[in-house]
Short mmCIF file of all heavy atoms in Angstrom, two decimals:
data_model
loop_
_atom_site.label_atom_id
_atom_site.label_comp_id
_atom_site.label_asym_id
_atom_site.label_seq_id
_atom_site.Cartn_x
_atom_site.Cartn_y
_atom_site.Cartn_z
N THR A 4 24.37 6.49 7.18
CA THR A 4 23.93 7.04 5.90
C THR A 4 22.71 6.28 5.44
O THR A 4 22.39 5.21 5.96
CB THR A 4 25.06 7.00 4.85
OG1 THR A 4 24.66 7.78 3.71
CG2 THR A 4 25.39 5.59 4.41
N LEU A 5 22.02 6.84 4.44
CA LEU A 5 20.84 6.18 3.88
C LEU A 5 21.14 5.65 2.48
O LEU A 5 21.65 6.38 1.64
CB LEU A 5 19.65 7.13 3.77
CG LEU A 5 18.42 6.42 3.18
CD1 LEU A 5 17.67 5.66 4.26
CD2 LEU A 5 17.50 7.36 2.45
N ILE A 7 18.99 3.61 -0.68
CA ILE A 7 17.70 3.06 -1.15
C ILE A 7 18.02 2.07 -2.27
O ILE A 7 18.65 2.45 -3.27
CB ILE A 7 16.75 4.14 -1.71
CG1 ILE A 7 16.49 5.24 -0.69
CG2 ILE A 7 15.43 3.50 -2.13
CD1 ILE A 7 15.63 6.39 -1.23
N TYR A 13 14.74 -4.18 -6.64
CA TYR A 13 13.69 -5.00 -6.04
C TYR A 13 13.06 -5.91 -7.09
O TYR A 13 12.95 -7.13 -6.90
CB TYR A 13 12.62 -4.09 -5.42
CG TYR A 13 11.55 -4.84 -4.68
CD1 TYR A 13 11.67 -5.10 -3.32
CD2 TYR A 13 10.43 -5.31 -5.35
CE1 TYR A 13 10.68 -5.80 -2.64
CE2 TYR A 13 9.44 -6.02 -4.68
CZ TYR A 13 9.57 -6.26 -3.33
OH TYR A 13 8.61 -6.97 -2.67
N HIS A 39 6.48 1.21 -0.99
CA HIS A 39 6.11 1.61 -2.35
C HIS A 39 5.77 3.10 -2.27
O HIS A 39 4.70 3.47 -1.77
CB HIS A 39 4.93 0.78 -2.86
CG HIS A 39 4.70 0.92 -4.33
ND1 HIS A 39 4.11 -0.05 -5.10
CD2 HIS A 39 5.03 1.92 -5.20
CE1 HIS A 39 4.05 0.35 -6.36
NE2 HIS A 39 4.61 1.55 -6.43
N VAL A 51 15.17 18.39 -4.26
CA VAL A 51 16.35 19.14 -4.69
C VAL A 51 16.52 19.08 -6.21
O VAL A 51 17.13 19.97 -6.82
CB VAL A 51 17.61 18.63 -3.95
CG1 VAL A 51 17.96 17.20 -4.36
CG2 VAL A 51 18.80 19.54 -4.16
N PHE A 64 9.82 6.61 -12.10
CA PHE A 64 10.59 5.39 -11.85
C PHE A 64 10.56 5.00 -10.37
O PHE A 64 10.33 3.82 -10.03
CB PHE A 64 12.05 5.58 -12.31
CG PHE A 64 12.99 4.53 -11.81
CD1 PHE A 64 12.79 3.19 -12.13
CD2 PHE A 64 14.07 4.87 -11.01
CE1 PHE A 64 13.65 2.21 -11.65
CE2 PHE A 64 14.93 3.89 -10.53
CZ PHE A 64 14.72 2.56 -10.85
N PRO A 72 14.52 1.27 1.51
CA PRO A 72 15.41 2.18 2.24
C PRO A 72 16.14 1.41 3.35
O PRO A 72 15.53 0.59 4.05
CB PRO A 72 14.45 3.22 2.86
CG PRO A 72 13.13 2.98 2.19
CD PRO A 72 13.11 1.56 1.76
N LEU A 75 22.40 2.53 7.11
CA LEU A 75 23.68 1.83 7.15
C LEU A 75 24.66 2.56 8.07
O LEU A 75 24.67 3.79 8.11
CB LEU A 75 24.29 1.77 5.76
CG LEU A 75 23.53 0.96 4.72
CD1 LEU A 75 24.12 1.20 3.33
CD2 LEU A 75 23.55 -0.53 5.07
N ARG A 85 29.22 5.91 -1.25
CA ARG A 85 29.26 6.45 -2.63
C ARG A 85 30.37 5.80 -3.44
O ARG A 85 30.22 5.58 -4.64
CB ARG A 85 29.36 7.97 -2.59
CG ARG A 85 28.03 8.56 -2.06
CD ARG A 85 28.00 10.05 -2.03
NE ARG A 85 27.93 10.65 -3.35
CZ ARG A 85 26.80 10.81 -4.04
NH1 ARG A 85 25.65 10.36 -3.58
NH2 ARG A 85 26.82 11.40 -5.23
N VAL A 87 31.40 2.64 -2.95
CA VAL A 87 30.95 1.27 -3.20
C VAL A 87 29.84 1.24 -4.27
O VAL A 87 29.73 0.29 -5.05
CB VAL A 87 30.47 0.64 -1.86
CG1 VAL A 87 29.72 -0.65 -2.08
CG2 VAL A 87 31.66 0.43 -0.93
N MET A 88 29.01 2.33 -4.32
CA MET A 88 27.93 2.40 -5.32
C MET A 88 28.50 2.60 -6.72
O MET A 88 27.98 2.06 -7.68
CB MET A 88 27.00 3.58 -5.04
CG MET A 88 26.15 3.43 -3.80
SD MET A 88 24.83 4.67 -3.72
CE MET A 88 25.68 6.18 -4.08
N PRO A 93 25.91 4.12 -14.71
CA PRO A 93 26.66 2.86 -14.64
C PRO A 93 27.69 2.70 -15.76
O PRO A 93 28.68 1.98 -15.59
CB PRO A 93 25.58 1.78 -14.72
CG PRO A 93 24.36 2.47 -15.22
CD PRO A 93 24.47 3.91 -14.80
N TYR A 105 24.97 -4.00 -11.17
CA TYR A 105 23.52 -4.22 -11.13
C TYR A 105 22.67 -3.15 -11.82
O TYR A 105 21.46 -3.34 -11.93
CB TYR A 105 23.06 -4.35 -9.67
CG TYR A 105 23.73 -5.48 -8.94
CD1 TYR A 105 24.63 -5.25 -7.91
CD2 TYR A 105 23.47 -6.80 -9.30
CE1 TYR A 105 25.26 -6.29 -7.24
CE2 TYR A 105 24.09 -7.85 -8.64
CZ TYR A 105 24.99 -7.59 -7.61
OH TYR A 105 25.60 -8.63 -6.97
N ALA A 107 21.24 -0.67 -14.93
CA ALA A 107 21.04 -0.73 -16.38
C ALA A 107 21.40 0.59 -17.05
O ALA A 107 21.97 0.60 -18.14
CB ALA A 107 19.60 -1.09 -16.68
N ASN A 112 19.31 2.94 -11.85
CA ASN A 112 20.71 2.79 -11.42
C ASN A 112 20.87 2.11 -10.06
O ASN A 112 21.83 2.34 -9.34
CB ASN A 112 21.46 4.14 -11.49
CG ASN A 112 20.99 5.14 -10.48
OD1 ASN A 112 19.97 4.94 -9.83
ND2 ASN A 112 21.75 6.21 -10.31
N ALA A 124 21.42 12.74 7.41
CA ALA A 124 20.54 12.92 8.57
C ALA A 124 19.12 13.23 8.11
O ALA A 124 18.14 12.67 8.64
CB ALA A 124 21.08 14.04 9.47
N ILE A 125 18.98 14.09 7.11
CA ILE A 125 17.65 14.44 6.58
C ILE A 125 16.99 13.22 5.93
O ILE A 125 15.82 12.92 6.17
CB ILE A 125 17.78 15.60 5.56
CG1 ILE A 125 18.24 16.88 6.26
CG2 ILE A 125 16.46 15.82 4.82
CD1 ILE A 125 18.71 17.98 5.32
#
Side-chain angles (χ1 to χ4, degrees):
T4 191
L5 180 83
I7 304 176
Y13 185 92
H39 193 154
V51 67
F64 166 60
L75 295 170
R85 291 182 71 82
V87 168
M88 291 192 312
Y105 300 112
N112 69 349
I125 294 167

